Amino acid sequence: MAHGRPTKRRDMFPAAFILPPLVWQASFFITPLVFLVWMSFWRVKNFRLTRDFVTANWERIYNAGFFYDAYVHTFTLATVNALVVSVLAFPAAYFLAFRAGPKVRQLAIVFLVTPFFTSYLVRIYSLQIILAEHGIINSALGLVGLGPITMLSTSFATVVGFLTLTLPLVILVQLLALSQVDKRLMEAASNLGVPPFEAVFKVVIPSAKVGLIMAGTFGFLLSFGDYVSPLFLGGSKPPTLSILIADQVKSGNNWPRASVVAVTMVVTLVAVLLLMTSLAYAKRGKK
Amino acid sequence: MTRGDKILSVYLAAIFVFILAPIVTLIVFSFNADRFPSLPWSGFSLEWYEAIASDSTIHTGFKNSLIVAVATAVISTILGFCAAYTDYRFKFFGKMGFLALAAMPPTVPVVILGIANLTFMAQINLAGTLQAVILGHTVYCAPFAMALIRIRLADLDPDIEPAAWNLGATRMTTVRQVVLPFCRPAIFSAMAITAAVSFDEFMIAWFVSGINETLPVRILAMLQGQVSPRINAVGSLVFLVTITLVLIAQAAVYSFRKTRRNV
């Protein structure tokens, strides 16, 4: 029997579990990201990538007007989506957390988790045929003598696409945050005669602040990097950063310039994440 | 039910209509006879399913997606189990960094994982292969597996393993005979969810797969062409596969949430 083996073998035991994920993620997650940064300093010479250390790609991209337009557009759309999705999700999450029965809540969670993991690409295609000039909505409007309304290839359509992506997740995260609110606080507010609607703003939202801010941040992160909605619903007018990356790689064949855009996106996302985290955990001012 | 509750439940129903409408529309119009999807509905047809059934690029894409999804599910579930057990059992310097590394990939946009993988795979001569897609997908999927298995391990009393050691079992035997059986529903669930995410993923796959297109990459290519109900048909098939996997995963989670009370 193997019990009481000398300690040398036992020392290997943690390594058997720690090393596989560590080595795998370091090799295939961190290394590619490092490559991405390095690649942004390479050169494309006669259509061939050349290892180098030049800042030309950075200068080229950062001096390009289309890059600034894309950056501002992407950031604005993602911010708008984060706000809209937070506001739209909140009543649903509130209802599920405090008012709905456990059966309804359970069923709703299944209906929220499922779309989050299924076929975003084909759902956006479906929205395309719903919103198109001669699509479902406009042909329905036509039947009653209205329309057509132009919806496709607008920022409105892009945000609708973002919402189908982010709404389920944001409702789930908000629900998680709200279910940790101390119900006695709400009872206390009610006993003190605070109307329910007011209690939402004075008790519920302040005590669930961290989770609510993180939910909105997810809404930002997911839409900031999305490629499909801005392209197929927004009509790439103007292109977003993800579209720039795909274009540089797929048609421009300029990986270094695409890397510059990608590194800029990563830095932006880390900055937003840090800012929102510090905002979420910030102590409220002296009152 | 108060009046406020009624308004809120109607609101919730409206949210679900919004979330589910694209899926319903997709499936309904995959059976529409008319080439251009609009109302009124122009009759039932299986034409578009017949069209994709005889399309060899769809067959190849389906086969590639299946290979990638199975390999991704197995590898990322093993990695996820190792990471979850590490968090459950060991304390060591740098553990926070380890967990951050293990959990972080899904927060990075897939477009960035895609181009980062492309630049890297090109250097090690793997760009354009299914292996490259599998490597990219395991990185992205392993955190989901870790989360599911970690939730299950939270219900395993930390003193059970030391009890087995005291009775003479080695640590590895204990993992095999106590921890793994206990985690079985979560492992099952992790395999299903990682397979679903991989089967559905098109961005990383698009960047690194080259000519070895997976099914979602094929759909992406079709989307860049003309509107065609074929996309509805193949989209409905992809949807059917992923929704089945996701529902299996949730049923498994539900089953272990129930058994916990009896432990």
Side-chain angles (χ1 to χ4, degrees), chain A residues 61-84:
Chain A
I61 289 290
Y62 275 69
N63 284 323
F66 68 85
F67 173 73
Y68 278 97
D69 293 344
Y71 191 93
V72 171
H73 184 60
T74 311
F75 200 93
T76 311
L77 281 182
T79 309
V80 167
N81 180 63
L83 295 173
V84 171

Side-chain angles (χ1 to χ4, degrees), chain A residues 171-228:
Chain A
I171 294 178
L172 284 169
V173 178
Q174 286 190 352
L175 173 58
L176 192 69
L178 291 180
S179 51
Q180 277 152 10
V181 171
D182 191 345
K183 294 217 167 57
R184 286 172 304 181
L185 280 177
M186 296 173 68
E187 279 160 24
S190 168
N191 291 340
L192 291 170
V194 182
F197 193 71
E198 232 180 290
V200 168
F201 291 94
K202 289 198 167 145
V203 179
V204 179
I205 292 180
S207 18
K209 191 181 79 169
V210 173
L212 296 178
I213 292 181
M214 290 330 281
T217 308
F218 283 131
F220 180 91
L221 294 184
L222 282 175
S223 46
F224 188 75
D226 183 36
Y227 168 76
V228 177

Side-chain angles (χ1 to χ4, degrees), chain A residues 112-134:
Chain A
L112 291 169
V113 170
T114 307
F116 182 70
F117 284 108
T118 37
S119 309
Y120 175 57
L121 182 60
V122 288
R123 283 190 284 140
I124 292 305
Y125 165 71
S126 192
L127 272 176
Q128 201 181 8
I129 62 179
I130 292 175
L131 299 175
E133 200 69 38
H134 303 285

Side-chain angles (χ1 to χ4, degrees), chain A residues 10 14 35-36 43 89 113 130 138 156 174-175 205 247 266 271 275 279:
Chain A
R10 285 195 175 173
F35 251 93
L36 185 73
R43 264 189 312 163
V113 170
I130 292 175
N138 277 326
F156 166 77
Q174 286 190 352
L175 173 58
I205 292 180
D247 283 353
V266 174
L275 181 76
L279 200 69

